[in-house]
Amino acid sequence: MDIFKNRRWLVIPVSITGSIDFGQVLEASPETLRLSVDGTQTFVKYDINIVEEDYTVVVPNLETGQESSYVVYAGIYGRPDIYSPEYPEYTHQPMLDLLATPEWTQPLPTE
């Protein structure tokens, strides 16, 4: 079971970190963001909800006894406002692979 099935990572330029609503992502503040080695990129992580097909929710009104309903449409929900398709969004393993590259992790010094 993949515990990060619904987790996503969005790589963004550091120049837009002032636009992050930290109530919508799992990082706490700008100080908790990890930067790329060159300091130009960072990422935020968040959980999404994928709805595969439309469905109807019926809700009873406890005061009147009448029911109302609404439709939940198929789609991806939970992305933060900073999300844009122009920035790459990753799932768990591809993000781990990215973070293992020299752009994100400096090699340990050799003696």
Side-chain angles (χ1 to χ4, degrees):
M1 181 173 165
D2 182 4
I3 62 171
F4 296 114
K5 177 183 169 197
N6 290 339
R7 178 131 326 146
R8 297 295 182 270
W9 289 259
L10 187 70
V11 176
I12 58 174
V14 169
S15 61
I16 67 166
T17 57
S19 300
I20 298 170
D21 179 343
F22 285 94
Q24 297 177 345
V25 297
L26 299 173
E27 290 72 23
S29 68
E31 295 76 32
T32 62
L33 295 172
R34 178 174 171 177
L35 302 181
S36 59
V37 171
D38 68 4
T40 63
Q41 295 192 324
T42 188
F43 61 88
V44 292
K45 58 185 174 289
Y46 47 90
D47 292 323
I48 60 166
N49 182 19
I50 300 171
V51 176
E52 301 279 340
E53 59 184 58
D54 299 353
Y55 64 92
T56 302
V57 176
V58 178
V59 181
N61 182 318
L62 298 177
E63 293 179 9
T64 65
Q66 295 181 335
E67 294 181 339
S68 61
S69 64
Y70 61 92
V71 176
V72 176
Y73 294 100
I76 299 175
Y77 297 91
R79 286 179 169 143
D81 293 342
I82 199 158
Y83 172 82
S84 171
E86 72 184 276
Y87 307 126
E89 183 182 59
Y90 293 89
T91 56
H92 188 229
Q93 189 59 54
M95 188 63 187
L96 292 176
D97 296 342
L98 177 69
L99 293 177
T101 65
E103 289 78 24
W104 287 90
T105 303
Q106 290 185 336
L108 295 173
T110 57
E111 295 184 63

